[in-house]
């Protein structure tokens, strides 16, 4: 197993399984990789923990006492909770896999499975979340942006943004680590005919950067002659 990855420390994972041995193995492996982990042994407990822990991913066993994994996923989605779900099951039937995905599952693994495969699937789902679109939550480093509620947080602290600043940050977070030219940003962030120009863009980048840096190191970088990029500071 590869050593701990400090970049994973920003991710919170909820493991839900009523078999203590399996839950412990998964939790230990995830913590070793640097993830923050909470564990629940039933569907009811999982729903309660999810409210307080606010996971970025739920590793969810289907065969649970009381509420099963499918019911847990249904309740989450009914409450507009779009947290990604990786289903675990001892059954490998096609119908069950299809049902899991139709309920909003992001992946499905059949028991028994290797820990290495679970870690690989986990990382894959989280990578998709990092720059995902579609009115959900965007995350990069310690930044969180909720497109539905228009809330932005850094390291847990709320950040008040104007609409244009919000649209600018959302576009950058949907394209992490990519150098975006001024013309690309103007085309995507400003509505046609709204008056967006290079000078306005520079002003908005400056104010957005100040607001972000009030809660941590610089993430919004200027690449002279090329544009702007959202990337972690040098370690």
């Amino acid at each position: 197993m590869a050593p701990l990855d400090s970049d994973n420390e920003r991710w919170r994972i909820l493991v839900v399984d009523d078999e203590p041995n399996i839950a412990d193995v998964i939790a230990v492996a995830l913590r070793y990789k640097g993830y923050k982990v909470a564990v629940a042994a039933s569907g009811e407990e999982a729903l309660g923990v999810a409210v307080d822990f606010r996971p970025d991913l739920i590793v969810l066993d289907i065969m649970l006492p009381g509420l099963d994994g499918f019911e847990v996923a249904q309740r989450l989605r009914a409450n507009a909770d779009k947290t990604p779900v990786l289903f675990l099951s001892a059954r490998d039937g096609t119908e069950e896999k299809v049902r899991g995905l139709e309920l909003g599952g992001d992946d499905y693994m059949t028991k028994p499975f290797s820990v290495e495969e679970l870690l690989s699937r986990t990382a894959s789902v989280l990578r998709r979340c990092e720059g995902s679109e579609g009115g959900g939550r965007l995350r990069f480093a310690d930044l969180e942006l909720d497109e539905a509620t228009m809330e932005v947080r850094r390291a847990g602290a709320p950040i008040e943004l104007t609409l244009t600043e919000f649209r600018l940050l959302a576009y950058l977070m949907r394209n992490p680590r990519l150098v975006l030219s001024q013309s690309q940003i103007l085309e995507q962030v400003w509505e046609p005919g709204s008056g967006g120009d290079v000078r306005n863009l520079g002003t908005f980048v400056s104010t957005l950067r100040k607001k972000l840096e009030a809660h941590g190191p610089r993430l919004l970088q200027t690449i002279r002659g090329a544009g702007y990029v959202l990337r972690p500071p040098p370690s």
Side-chain angles (χ1 to χ4, degrees), residues 32 46 63 73 84-85 94 97 108 141 156 177 180 205 218 229:
Y32 182 79
M63 303 295 290
V85 173
T94 301
K97 292 180 181 179
Y108 186 108
R177 298 184 174 86
L180 303 171
V205 168
R218 177 164 295 189
V229 59

Side-chain angles (χ1 to χ4, degrees), residues 24-230:
D24 287 346
V25 168
I26 295 173
V28 168
L30 291 171
R31 289 181 180 124
Y32 182 79
K33 292 293 290 182
Y35 299 108
K36 297 176 182 177
V37 180
V39 178
S42 69
E44 291 86 350
E45 184 183 2
L47 291 172
V49 173
V51 172
D52 297 325
F53 187 59
R54 297 178 63 208
D56 301 295
L57 171 67
I58 302 176
V59 178
L60 180 59
D61 186 34
I62 292 174
M63 303 295 290
L64 295 170
L67 293 177
D68 66 20
F70 288 146
E71 292 173 302
V72 171
Q74 283 179 314
R75 294 198 183 191
L76 290 171
R77 299 303 184 242
N79 291 325
D81 188 326
K82 298 181 180 180
T83 304
V85 173
L86 192 166
F87 281 113
L88 302 178
S89 178
R91 302 173 182 173
D92 61 357
T94 301
E95 289 185 7
E96 191 163 71
K97 292 180 181 179
V98 170
R99 185 182 178 194
L101 297 177
E102 287 180 342
L103 288 172
D106 295 81
D107 206 343
Y108 186 108
M109 291 186 66
T110 303
K111 297 178 178 180
F113 52 81
S114 73
V115 172
E116 290 291 350
E117 182 182 5
L118 176 68
L119 293 173
S120 176
R121 298 278 194 97
T122 296
S124 178
V125 172
L126 292 174
R127 279 197 302 271
R128 293 199 298 270
C129 296
E130 188 170 58
S132 62
E133 298 185 52
R137 288 183 294 174
L138 304 177
R139 294 184 177 84
F140 182 78
D142 57 355
L143 274 176
E144 289 188 43
L145 181 149
D146 191 317
E147 292 184 296
T149 64
M150 296 190 65
E151 294 178 320
V152 176
R153 292 178 179 273
R154 183 167 190 193
I159 300 175
E160 296 294 328
L161 299 181
T162 66
L163 177 59
T164 301
E165 289 167 351
F166 182 89
R167 288 169 59 91
L168 172 58
L169 181 60
Y171 181 56
L172 291 164
M173 291 181 70
R174 286 195 293 267
N175 297 275
R177 298 184 174 86
L178 297 180
V179 177
L180 303 171
S181 68
Q182 293 177 332
S183 60
Q184 284 178 303
I185 296 173
L186 289 171
E187 180 179 341
Q188 294 297 322
V189 175
W190 274 264
E191 297 292 337
S194 64
D197 60 24
V198 172
R199 183 174 55 186
N200 287 342
L201 174 58
T203 300
F204 277 108
V205 168
S206 178
T207 58
L208 175 59
R209 181 181 285 140
K210 288 178 182 177
K211 291 181 178 181
L212 297 180
E213 290 179 13
H215 302 280
R218 177 164 295 189
L219 294 175
L220 178 49
Q221 313 286 338
T222 299
I223 308 301
R224 191 174 298 276
Y228 304 97
V229 59
L230 201 64

